[in-house]
Amino acid sequence: MRHFDCVVIGTGPAGQKAAIQAAKLGKKVAIIEKAPVVGGAQINTGTIPSKALREAALHLTGRNKRGLFGSSYRVKKDITIADLVAVSDEVIRHEWEVIRDQFDRNNIELIWGEAHFEGPNLIQVIHDDTSEMITGDKFLIAVGTRPAKPAHVPFNNKDILSSDSFLKLEALPKTLIVVGGGVIGTEYACIMATLGVRVTLVEGRNEVLGFLDQEIADAFAYFMRQSGITLRCGEKVEGIRPLAPEEGNGRSIHGSLVEARLESGKTLRAEALLYCVGRQGVCKRLGLENVGITYDDRERLRVNENYQTLNMDDKDNPKPVEHVYAAGDVIGFPSLASTSMEQGRRAVCHAFGVAVEDWNQKLFPFGIYAVPEISMVGKTEKQLTDEGIPYEAGVANYREIARGKLLGDDQGMLKILIHQDTHEILGVHAIGTGATELIHIGQTCMALGGKAEFFINNVFNFPTLAEAYKIAAYNGLNKLALVV
Amino acid sequence: MRHFDCVVIGTGPAGQKAAIQAAKLGKKVAIIEKAPVVGGAQINTGTIPSKALREAALHLTGRNKRGLFGSSYRVKKDITIADLVAVSDEVIRHEWEVIRDQFDRNNIELIWGEAHFEGPNLIQVIHDDTSEMITGDKFLIAVGTRPAKPAHVPFNNKDILSSDSFLKLEALPKTLIVVGGGVIGTEYACIMATLGVRVTLVEGRNEVLGFLDQEIADAFAYFMRQSGITLRCGEKVEGIRPLAPEEGNGRSIHGSLVEARLESGKTLRAEALLYCVGRQGVCKRLGLENVGITYDDRERLRVNENYQTLNMDDKDNPKPVEHVYAAGDVIGFPSLASTSMEQGRRAVCHAFGVAVEDWNQKLFPFGIYAVPEISMVGKTEKQLTDEGIPYEAGVANYREIARGKLLGDDQGMLKILIHQDTHEILGVHAIGTGATELIHIGQTCMALGGKAEFFINNVFNFPTLAEAYKIAAYNGLNKLALVV
């Protein structure tokens, strides 16, 4: 029976970085993957495919160049699913290689199969007809999540799809219903609208992406509608069904028609429906009972500040299972590849007694790869107002910035929230080309204690979008009558 | 006779920001422009046109998408000068409007015509047949530079061109000689090569862009050659002439043939030649003798640390002309739009007694909009070695980063130079997509005293190019055996 210092279950972002960290600490590491490929949802069904789809859609439609080449500019006229999937597949293949290569270089043993605990330090890995028992000192559970698939939604891998199967669409539908206005739902809604699909987005809450700063959220809602998306916020879906041929199905080019009934009485019809409300852990088959770890009703794990799993049988007195850690989507919020990686690394450092610096969780950035891109770090105006922190907002519009024009982006904006007294930066909110990159300048400034004056006195390359920080700082300090 | 608190000569970046700053201080401001349009070289002949050309070339050729769509991918097959100039003109028109609007909003009096000093506080502005005398308390000279046009180069606005007239080319040549491997020469060489023009770049020094970090410069030289550019470094041009019809001229599609003879005996022939060695001030007609200011043999002004002009008649004892400031290209290095703007603002603040914070000139970024983009801040490896500062380099390659792949950039890289003992960031060097933007994260970190560990502990959006900082920090600290 093979023994490892560290056994990682799952090859998504959390698992990858954890395994690499353990290997770099000189530990003997195994990483177990039950899917036929490495990378988890990040590479195969989630982050990367949707971003590749987005890049391909923006480029092939010419959408991101219309500010320069005119409003009817298109690069390719008839865009097929094949065009899009080809790009996605190319990127996915490359990422597999990168991950496999990292495992190889670090002597990490990649074991294919489904793992479950047989005892506190014993795992069985089952792969087709074979199985192997391995033992380990420390374990990390990084099994991720899968889309929630409620029983009342008749998923069929054809025209009623979850985000995991969405790219299996045989052809681009002319019309699409997206149920769920979270990050995944809005990203796909925007990408499909960019491709000319008529999209209706249904969200139970009164707004999509409720965590955004209101000004950015309003701008985003405006841009979504401008791109042809119908927003149905504050609406719940009561039932979903494929239409029968006698109801009109089969008539469309796409060959399908789906119906969603809303509680408000409205009926929506489209050629396809993407259901992306909620995701849930995949813990049931992990044999966690054999090691004393509990999971919640959405199969998610609870961890302490060291990412050690908890037994929640006594809710008032959770007991850590000290040698078994968990990281990534399976432990819930924020469920971002970026944070999952760092969680995995920190878990392993703790497991092997290596100190890591504190990290400022208040400065986690959020990136939404919609059309346009959105990103934020720090607090929103509403949060600051609720907390009674006096601030002023400084705004820069891309259209005032030469590179905004050069990139053909007349819509983008960057907003910095400045403490009225100390001039500290309290939050940065951006929507537009490159927003997810741009945010890190503000994040770095916040982390290192810079103030709004830093942006005034700093020299930025010209022409860059980064200049937006200077313009926003002027705008904010001007409002405070502090600079002229 | 109209009187102004502040009179600015020239509407380029230095003049614009100076005028706006003075207006915001409540001053009555005039700004004088002798060209028929505002913006100076930045908008009309230099920065913006070449960047617009670059964006158009990258997009229309599909050059920046070949990593995703395949090596022979093209968006448009027959690209004409008209395609390119249309994009450039659109951006230029927009920038004119932005500048005019800023002048209007700030009640800045824009006076068209050529200005010269008649006395210490008296300026005459001549416009066609009319002229106006105005007086002022403070003056800023921001007249910029023009391409040096040595007598031995037979410029003809047809096929032997300076950078100011380059976009007047009637058609894209099949072959091009670029004389001068400075920023302008290399940018145009790369853009033209992207468009499929066979380019030979002649540079008198032994390398192009000698101020770059050697590793970046080497990579850049490699990429230039890969894109079909022939580099002739360490070669001087002895003579340039258009060929006569009997020598083969008129045979090419472009209709012209030009010859450059090198001192080494080589003869180069191409359909067009771009000469961009040196630029010089335009001070001769400013009547500076009437106010006691001297200029050098390239018509450039000297200023003190407050941007006050100097009388250099006694070189050992330069005398400031206290009420006349100068900023921008006319005062020489670094001659970047980004720094010129800030110089103009600082000059005016000094003129009206407003304190400004120190600025760290060591943290000026450099951005080169070549193909690929290049940017740097702080010191190079050679500078650090020469100064005896112990450092380690941490490198991240875009091909290891998901967004690099998503953007189709397999070549890009980011390097951070880390002090071996303190782990301060001493320099950041980047080549690749978005380099001019990306550099500001490192610049902000350097300005605010962050160390390499900051990048390790920071969470970056995924997928972004900004992740390169984390990978580079790991790489550097790993080499120092400080992180594992």
Side-chain angles (χ1 to χ4, degrees):
Chain A
M1 196 175 338
R2 291 194 286 179
H3 177 81
F4 296 91
D5 301 318
C6 182
V7 177
V8 176
I9 308 174
T11 60
Q16 288 164 38
K17 300 298 168 185
I20 292 166
Q21 178 67 66
K24 287 199 185 283
L25 289 170
K27 304 301 171 188
K28 193 175 169 202
V29 183
I31 189 164
I32 304 169
E33 177 56 60
K34 73 173 177 181
V37 291
V38 294
Q42 177 199 23
I43 305 302
N44 301 292
T45 54
T47 319
I48 292 292
S50 63
K51 275 61 181 172
L53 191 67
R54 180 180 180 275
E55 288 292 336
L58 284 177
H59 176 69
L60 291 177
T61 60
R63 164 68 169 70
N64 57 351
K65 293 293 167 195
R66 289 187 197 154
L68 278 186
F69 294 100
S71 60
S72 61
Y73 179 72
R74 287 185 85 81
V75 170
K76 191 169 191 299
K77 208 163 158 242
D78 298 303
I79 298 168
T80 66
I81 275 279
D83 291 327
L84 302 168
V85 170
V87 171
S88 178
D89 284 352
E90 162 67 18
V91 178
I92 290 170
R93 261 196 306 275
H94 178 263
E95 292 302 310
W96 287 342
E97 281 167 30
V98 169
I99 296 169
R100 293 292 298 268
D101 181 52
Q102 283 178 330
F103 288 167
D104 286 349
R105 272 188 292 148
N106 288 288
N107 284 315
I108 294 164
E109 183 72 23
L110 173 60
I111 304 177
W112 296 104
E114 187 167 5
H116 68 270
F117 284 91
E118 286 279 335
N121 290 83
L122 182 63
I123 273 188
Q124 184 178 27
V125 186
I126 297 173
H127 189 218
D128 297 337
D129 297 337
T130 65
S131 84
E132 181 183 2
M133 301 290 273
I134 62 173
T135 53
D137 294 330
K138 307 285 183 181
F139 296 85
L140 178 82
I141 301 171
V143 294
T145 55
R146 59 175 174 77
K149 290 194 171 182
H152 70 277
V153 182
F155 293 101
N156 60 12
N157 268 336
K158 180 171 166 283
D159 48 25
I160 301 178
L161 303 152
S162 72
S163 57
D164 273 11
S165 55
F166 188 59
L167 287 181
K168 292 184 183 143
L169 268 177
E170 278 169 30
L172 271 186
K174 280 202 288 199
T175 51
L176 173 72
I177 299 164
V178 177
V179 181
V183 173
I184 300 171
T186 48
E187 287 184 356
Y188 275 116
C190 289
I191 294 168
M192 288 294 118
T194 298
L195 289 166
V197 178
R198 218 164 68 231
V199 177
T200 301
L201 178 62
V202 184
E203 164 60 39
R205 275 168 283 198
N206 287 321
E207 55 195 355
V208 297
L209 305 178
F211 58 89
L212 291 180
D213 181 86
Q214 194 63 48
E215 182 170 4
I216 302 293
D218 290 346
F220 182 49
Y222 172 78
F223 296 146
M224 277 197 288
R225 291 195 181 98
Q226 286 288 308
S227 72
I229 297 172
T230 301
L231 292 181
R232 293 267 173 245
C233 291
E235 298 259 24
K236 289 216 164 53
V237 172
E238 195 179 63
I240 292 168
R241 68 183 182 105
L243 290 191
E246 64 272 20
E247 293 176 294
N249 204 347
R251 280 191 215 149
S252 74
I253 296 171
H254 191 251
S256 302
L257 265 184
V258 180
E259 182 180 278
R261 292 180 315 283
L262 308 185
E263 286 182 2
S264 63
K266 298 185 191 76
T267 297
L268 309 176
R269 289 185 175 189
E271 292 187 357
L273 183 144
L274 168 63
Y275 187 90
C276 37
V277 179
R279 295 182 66 90
Q280 65 166 69
V282 278
C283 288
K284 249 183 203 145
R285 292 156 60 96
L286 284 173
L288 297 180
E289 60 284 3
N290 297 327
V291 61
I293 301 166
T294 57
Y295 50 85
D296 69 14
D297 55 351
R298 284 170 62 189
E299 288 186 57
R300 289 177 310 186
L301 304 176
R302 289 284 293 273
V303 295
N304 64 17
E305 69 283 7
N306 302 318
Y307 299 99
Q308 288 166 309
T309 53
L310 295 175
N311 181 312
M312 300 294 292
D313 284 340
D314 177 359
K315 276 189 181 158
D316 299 327
N317 185 24
K319 272 195 298 209
V321 179
E322 293 187 349
H323 70 300
V324 182
Y325 293 74
D329 288 1
V330 74
I331 64 170
F333 185 84
S335 293
L336 295 168
S338 53
T339 43
S340 297
M341 293 183 215
E342 190 61 13
Q343 289 168 353
R345 183 178 84 86
R346 284 172 177 264
V348 161
C349 283
H350 186 267
F352 294 105
V354 174
V356 287
E357 285 187 40
D358 281 348
W359 62 343
N360 192 342
Q361 307 211 12
K362 288 179 190 155
L363 292 183
F364 284 175
F366 285 82
I368 296 133
Y369 294 79
V371 183
E373 233 170 81
I374 302 172
S375 194
M376 64 176 279
V377 65
K379 302 208 164 162
T380 64
E381 292 202 44
K382 181 164 189 318
Q383 285 171 331
L384 293 171
T385 302
D386 289 349
E387 294 172 20
I389 299 172
Y391 69 89
E392 189 51 87
V395 175
N397 293 298
Y398 282 17
R399 63 170 178 275
E400 307 167 66
I401 299 169
R403 200 167 210 183
K405 191 67 196 168
L406 285 166
L407 293 169
D409 186 340
D410 298 332
Q411 300 182 325
M413 62 170 282
L414 174 95
K415 175 166 77 172
I416 62 178
L417 303 178
I418 304 166
H419 194 291
Q420 286 202 343
D421 305 323
T422 66
H423 301 177
E424 282 169 281
I425 308 298
L426 303 167
V428 183
H429 303 272
I431 183 167
T433 307
T436 58
E437 300 279 0
L438 201 56
I439 209 79
H440 299 107
I441 300 171
Q443 182 200 29
T444 302
C445 180
M446 289 169 77
L448 299 173
K451 306 193 168 182
E453 284 79 359
F454 168 72
F455 298 125
I456 303 273
N457 284 300
N458 193 50
V459 172
F460 294 93
N461 280 320
F462 177 90
T464 52
L465 293 175
E467 283 188 282
Y469 279 98
K470 180 170 283 208
I471 292 172
Y474 267 116
N475 180 256
L477 294 182
N478 268 330
K479 289 182 195 165
L480 292 171
L482 286 164
V483 291
V484 282
Chain B
M1 195 175 337
R2 292 194 285 178
H3 178 81
F4 295 91
D5 301 319
C6 182
V7 177
V8 176
I9 308 174
T11 61
Q16 287 163 39
K17 299 297 168 187
I20 292 167
Q21 179 68 66
K24 287 200 185 282
L25 289 171
K27 304 301 171 189
K28 194 176 168 200
V29 184
I31 190 164
I32 304 168
E33 178 55 60
K34 72 172 177 181
V37 291
V38 294
Q42 176 199 24
I43 305 302
N44 300 293
T45 55
T47 320
I48 292 291
S50 64
K51 275 60 180 173
L53 191 67
R54 179 179 180 277
E55 288 291 335
L58 284 176
H59 176 70
L60 291 176
T61 60
R63 165 65 169 72
N64 58 350
K65 292 293 167 193
R66 288 187 198 155
L68 278 185
F69 294 99
S71 59
S72 61
Y73 179 72
R74 287 185 85 80
V75 170
K76 191 169 191 299
K77 207 161 161 242
D78 298 303
I79 299 168
T80 65
I81 275 278
D83 292 327
L84 303 167
V85 170
V87 171
S88 179
D89 284 351
E90 161 68 16
V91 177
I92 290 171
R93 260 194 309 273
H94 177 263
E95 292 302 309
W96 288 342
E97 282 168 29
V98 169
I99 297 169
R100 292 292 297 268
D101 180 52
Q102 284 178 330
F103 290 166
D104 286 350
R105 272 188 292 146
N106 288 289
N107 283 316
I108 294 164
E109 184 71 23
L110 173 60
I111 303 176
W112 296 105
E114 188 168 4
H116 68 270
F117 284 91
E118 287 280 337
N121 289 83
L122 183 63
I123 273 189
Q124 183 178 25
V125 187
I126 298 174
H127 189 218
D128 297 337
D129 297 337
T130 65
S131 84
E132 180 183 2
M133 301 290 273
I134 62 173
T135 54
D137 294 330
K138 308 285 183 180
F139 296 85
L140 179 80
I141 300 172
V143 293
T145 55
R146 59 175 175 78
K149 290 194 171 183
H152 70 277
V153 182
F155 293 102
N156 61 11
N157 269 336
K158 180 170 165 282
D159 47 24
I160 301 178
L161 302 151
S162 72
S163 57
D164 274 11
S165 56
F166 189 59
L167 287 180
K168 292 185 184 143
L169 268 176
E170 277 169 31
L172 271 185
K174 280 204 289 201
T175 51
L176 173 71
I177 299 164
V178 176
V179 181
V183 173
I184 300 171
T186 48
E187 286 184 357
Y188 275 117
C190 289
I191 295 167
M192 289 294 118
T194 298
L195 290 166
V197 178
R198 219 165 66 232
V199 176
T200 301
L201 178 61
V202 184
E203 163 59 41
R205 274 168 284 198
N206 287 321
E207 56 197 353
V208 296
L209 305 177
F211 59 90
L212 290 180
D213 181 86
Q214 194 64 47
E215 182 170 3
I216 302 292
D218 291 346
F220 182 49
Y222 172 77
F223 296 145
M224 277 197 289
R225 290 195 180 99
Q226 286 289 307
S227 72
I229 297 172
T230 301
L231 292 181
R232 293 267 173 246
C233 291
E235 298 260 24
K236 288 214 166 53
V237 173
E238 194 177 63
I240 292 168
R241 67 182 183 105
L243 290 192
E246 64 272 20
E247 293 175 293
N249 204 347
R251 279 191 216 150
S252 73
I253 297 171
H254 191 249
S256 302
L257 264 183
V258 180
E259 183 180 277
R261 292 180 316 283
L262 307 185
E263 286 183 2
S264 64
K266 297 186 191 76
T267 297
L268 309 176
R269 289 185 174 189
E271 292 186 356
L273 183 143
L274 167 62
Y275 186 90
C276 37
V277 179
R279 294 182 67 90
Q280 66 167 69
V282 278
C283 288
K284 248 183 204 146
R285 292 156 60 96
L286 285 174
L288 296 180
E289 61 283 4
N290 297 327
V291 60
I293 301 166
T294 57
Y295 50 84
D296 69 13
D297 55 351
R298 284 170 63 190
E299 287 186 58
R300 288 176 311 187
L301 304 176
R302 289 284 293 274
V303 295
N304 64 16
E305 70 281 10
N306 302 318
Y307 299 99
Q308 288 166 308
T309 52
L310 295 174
N311 181 312
M312 300 294 292
D313 284 339
D314 177 359
K315 275 189 183 160
D316 298 327
N317 186 24
K319 271 195 300 212
V321 179
E322 294 188 350
H323 71 300
V324 183
Y325 294 74
D329 288 1
V330 73
I331 65 169
F333 184 83
S335 293
L336 295 167
S338 53
T339 42
S340 298
M341 294 184 217
E342 191 59 14
Q343 289 169 354
R345 183 179 83 87
R346 284 172 176 263
V348 161
C349 283
H350 185 268
F352 295 105
V354 174
V356 288
E357 286 187 40
D358 281 348
W359 62 343
N360 192 342
Q361 308 211 11
K362 288 179 189 155
L363 291 183
F364 284 175
F366 285 81
I368 296 131
Y369 294 79
V371 183
E373 232 170 80
I374 302 172
S375 193
M376 64 176 279
V377 65
K379 302 208 165 163
T380 63
E381 292 203 43
K382 181 164 190 319
Q383 285 171 329
L384 293 171
T385 302
D386 289 349
E387 294 172 21
I389 299 172
Y391 70 90
E392 188 51 89
V395 174
N397 294 298
Y398 282 16
R399 63 170 178 275
E400 308 167 66
I401 298 169
R403 199 165 212 185
K405 191 67 196 170
L406 285 167
L407 293 170
D409 186 340
D410 298 333
Q411 299 182 326
M413 62 170 281
L414 175 95
K415 175 165 78 170
I416 62 178
L417 303 178
I418 303 166
H419 194 292
Q420 285 202 344
D421 304 323
T422 65
H423 301 178
E424 282 168 282
I425 309 298
L426 303 166
V428 184
H429 304 271
I431 183 168
T433 307
T436 58
E437 301 279 1
L438 201 54
I439 209 77
H440 298 107
I441 299 170
Q443 182 201 28
T444 302
C445 180
M446 291 170 75
L448 299 173
K451 307 196 166 179
E453 284 80 0
F454 168 72
F455 298 125
I456 304 274
N457 285 301
N458 192 50
V459 172
F460 294 94
N461 279 321
F462 177 91
T464 52
L465 293 175
E467 283 188 282
Y469 279 98
K470 180 170 280 205
I471 292 171
Y474 269 115
N475 181 256
L477 294 182
N478 267 329
K479 289 182 195 165
L480 292 170
L482 285 166
V483 292
V484 282

